[in-house]
Amino acid sequence: AQTVTQSQPEMSVQEAETVTLSCTYDTSESDYYLFWYKQPPSRQMILVIRQEAYKQQNATENRFSVNFQKAAKSFSLKISDSQLGDAAMYFCAYRLNSGGSNYKLTFGKGTLLTVNP
Amino acid sequence: DGGITQSPKYLFRKEGQNVTLSCEQNLNHDAMYWYRQDPGQGLRLIYYSQIVNDFQKGDIAEGYSVSREKKESFPLTVTSAQKNPTAFYLCASKLREAGANVLTFGAGSRLTVL
């Protein structure tokens, strides 16, 4: 079974600085997707960024970027120029991309990010 | 605006009572999901449905039931058999075809058993 591990239950960063959230996963598959979701205090889950496993180039969305290391099964999220609105719980997630398994998103336990002014 | 509506936002239940959480989407999405969120546990899949009149158990289906009579609706019933139902419940949906891999989430329902 696929598992997703976020080893940092909590992280903090100063406003305007950079922070990296870690995520590792376990799979024997080669075709899959990885995601980072953000859950602010409103508890609305918001997609931050996604990565397709067969693409070597790391995904980037404005201040958010990932470091995808397929061989190491690592998928870290870097937030640059951190803003107060980035404070949230961040979840790493994995989804297999094949046939009937095109359904299940497996989540890590989350990292709570605090942004200090 | 298209989206997913979950209701009620907060729900209190006495032990031994069944309760139903509503999830409605107007995104024309085929697949719908229910997740349970507990502190320190991340999100765990309860049930999912890829088409109308069909659904499958997720990782923690015991004590829950669902129906999918309409494409836009996927209600979740928390039965009295669920031993620890107090949690935050999230409904999500997506298009079914391959490549449509992004889940859209509702705002969630908080269930508390008194």
Side-chain angles (χ1 to χ4, degrees):
Chain A
Q2 288 80 19
T3 58
V4 177
T5 302
Q6 293 178 250
S7 59
Q8 307 151 316
E10 297 184 24
M11 292 281 286
S12 63
V13 63
Q14 290 296 127
E15 194 175 5
E17 298 197 342
T18 295
V19 64
T20 299
L21 308 184
S22 301
C23 173
T24 58
Y25 57 95
D26 183 26
T27 185
S28 58
E29 305 291 339
S30 59
D31 187 10
Y32 51 87
Y33 293 92
L34 295 163
F35 306 85
W36 279 99
Y37 278 89
K38 168 184 176 180
Q39 188 179 43
S42 67
R43 305 205 76 172
Q44 176 73 56
M45 293 285 283
I46 303 165
L47 178 68
V48 175
I49 200 166
R50 60 179 163 174
Q51 174 81 40
E52 297 168 84
Y54 59 85
K55 289 188 177 180
Q56 293 186 341
Q57 186 174 6
N58 289 325
T60 299
E61 290 286 343
N62 300 315
R63 297 183 295 106
F64 298 87
S65 62
V66 298
N67 183 5
F68 174 47
Q69 302 289 328
K70 191 172 184 179
K73 299 179 183 175
S74 172
F75 183 61
S76 61
L77 174 70
K78 185 172 81 172
I79 306 174
S80 304
D81 185 25
S82 296
Q83 300 175 1
L84 296 178
D86 295 333
M89 182 72 84
Y90 286 82
F91 291 98
C92 179
Y94 163 100
R95 190 180 67 76
L96 185 65
N97 184 39
S98 64
S101 296
N102 186 21
Y103 65 86
K104 182 178 175 180
L105 204 62
T106 301
F107 287 86
K109 294 185 177 182
T111 296
L112 181 62
L113 178 67
T114 302
V115 181
N116 300 310
Chain B
D1 289 338
I4 299 177
T5 301
Q6 289 188 240
S7 62
K9 188 171 183 178
Y10 299 97
L11 184 61
F12 297 88
R13 186 194 97 175
K14 294 181 180 179
E15 285 193 26
Q17 289 181 334
N18 292 355
V19 293
T20 297
L21 307 180
S22 171
C23 178
E24 303 278 333
Q25 54 97 0
N26 60 4
L27 300 165
N28 200 32
H29 284 176
D30 307 287
M32 298 186 73
Y33 308 79
W34 275 105
Y35 283 89
R36 170 178 170 144
Q37 185 177 15
D38 296 282
Q41 292 295 321
L43 278 71
R44 294 180 289 170
L45 182 65
I46 304 172
Y47 267 99
Y48 66 99
S49 168
Q50 298 193 71
I51 56 173
V52 175
N53 292 322
D54 186 51
F55 50 83
Q56 285 79 40
K57 293 181 179 179
D59 299 319
I60 55 165
E62 184 176 353
Y64 299 97
S65 65
V66 293
S67 63
R68 187 83 188 279
E69 297 177 1
K70 299 185 297 182
K71 186 176 184 178
E72 58 269 23
S73 179
F74 191 43
L76 173 74
T77 297
V78 185
T79 74
S80 57
Q82 169 52 235
K83 296 179 180 178
N84 185 20
T86 293
F88 187 66
Y89 292 87
L90 282 161
C91 180
S93 69
K94 76 176 201 53
L95 291 170
R96 187 176 179 218
E97 57 262 28
N101 51 43
V102 177
L103 284 181
T104 300
F105 284 87
S109 294
R110 173 73 184 177
L111 172 63
T112 302
V113 173
L114 303 173

